[in-house]
Amino acid sequence: KAGVTQTPRYLIKTRGQQVTLSCSPISGHRSVSWYQQTPGQGLQFLFEYFSETQRNKGNFPGRFSGRQFSNSRSEMNVSTLELGDSALYLCASSRDVGNSPLHFGNGTRLTVT
Amino acid sequence: DAKTTQPNSMESNEEEPVHLPCNHSTISGTDYIHWYRQLPSQGPEYVIHGLTSNVNNRMASLAIAEDRKSSTLILHRATLRDAAVYYCILRKDQGAQKLVFGQGTRLTINP
């Protein structure tokens, strides 16, 4: 069974640009969430989707947005990039049943110059 | 969200058991205790979770104190591949995917 797939693996952008990251969950998983990981702040929750609806949102500015498609695939978008947005962005999926574990992808490493 | 406290780092030797502690004194009755680990250059990986009783799976064991204010992740026979950052997380039972990660414990395994 294929794991969570995130594309691209690496991305370099300049300040002010926007970026879209993609996540394909494990087949049959309907919940998808996104996390940001930086050396200073660690792993922080961004948002969570189920059946194309945002179910939960972390404490990030409105420049960070996401969506989920009918096939459960998800994208996150960051507009007007800042240097501080450089991070590893991780996507996770789960079956959305009680405490079913989250399965994480290996992330997209975004560098903003 | 209830908070967990873990040592910043621990060190052990290959093929020896490892006990990773976690304190969660403000745990509520509906919080499950989850453990994830993150190997270098990878996303976090689920290890184990439990509510009140001790739990075992192929990766590890989870020992939960009777008052649930602390727990211990046990790796029975550490290998070099177990070197990772281990996160102890409290998760509500509502199926939400929001996990609050602390700084975790960086485990070093000596050959």
Side-chain angles (χ1 to χ4, degrees):
Chain A
K1 200 176 190 180
V4 176
T5 304
Q6 292 188 244
T7 56
R9 282 283 279 145
Y10 302 93
L11 206 47
I12 300 174
K13 292 285 188 178
T14 56
R15 273 182 301 177
Q17 287 187 312
Q18 76 164 16
V19 67
T20 299
L21 311 181
S22 180
C23 172
S24 292
I26 291 173
S27 177
H29 286 192
R30 298 189 299 167
S31 286
V32 174
S33 55
W34 289 86
Y35 287 80
Q36 181 196 65
Q37 186 171 28
T38 60
Q41 298 298 317
L43 276 152
Q44 293 185 289
F45 172 79
L46 277 158
F47 28 65
E48 171 187 352
Y49 289 88
F50 174 72
S51 290
E52 303 177 66
T53 301
Q54 189 178 86
R55 191 161 65 172
N56 213 340
K57 190 177 193 306
N59 190 24
F60 279 82
R63 300 184 297 106
F64 292 81
S65 63
R67 59 178 177 167
Q68 186 182 32
F69 302 96
S70 59
N71 62 359
S72 294
R73 193 177 69 84
S74 178
E75 289 181 347
M76 70 163 280
N77 184 78
V78 187
S79 62
T80 321
L81 284 165
E82 301 176 0
L83 294 178
D85 298 333
S86 294
L88 181 66
Y89 290 89
L90 292 155
C91 170
S93 73
S94 75
R95 284 193 218 157
D96 190 49
V97 176
N99 266 269
S100 55
L102 271 62
H103 297 262
F104 284 82
N106 286 330
T108 294
R109 171 77 61 186
L110 172 65
T111 302
V112 183
T113 61
Chain B
D1 294 307
K3 191 178 172 181
T4 63
T5 305
Q6 301 176 251
N8 288 335
S9 62
M10 289 184 64
E11 199 169 325
S12 187
N13 298 320
E14 201 174 7
E15 298 188 6
E16 290 184 356
V18 180
H19 291 236
L20 296 161
C22 180
N23 287 319
H24 27 79
S25 58
T26 59
I27 191 170
S28 70
T30 57
D31 285 337
Y32 280 75
I33 302 158
H34 282 246
W35 285 81
Y36 283 76
R37 70 180 185 181
Q38 188 171 20
L39 280 66
S41 302
Q42 294 187 24
E45 173 188 33
Y46 167 79
V47 178
I48 200 167
H49 78 275
L51 183 63
T52 56
S53 305
N54 294 345
V55 185
N56 300 296
N57 67 18
R58 64 174 179 81
M59 288 179 71
S61 295
L62 176 60
I64 301 172
E66 200 168 329
D67 62 4
R68 300 211 325 127
K69 292 184 186 300
S70 66
S71 61
T72 302
L73 178 71
I74 303 165
L75 307 178
H76 293 286
R77 204 159 165 260
T79 70
L80 296 177
R81 285 176 293 182
D82 291 321
V85 178
Y86 286 78
Y87 297 98
C88 170
I89 299 164
L90 300 182
R91 187 179 180 194
K92 301 292 182 188
D93 66 347
Q94 301 301 316
Q97 288 208 340
K98 179 183 177 184
L99 301 181
V100 180
F101 286 84
Q103 293 306 306
T105 296
R106 183 173 297 278
L107 176 64
T108 301
I109 304 296
N110 300 315

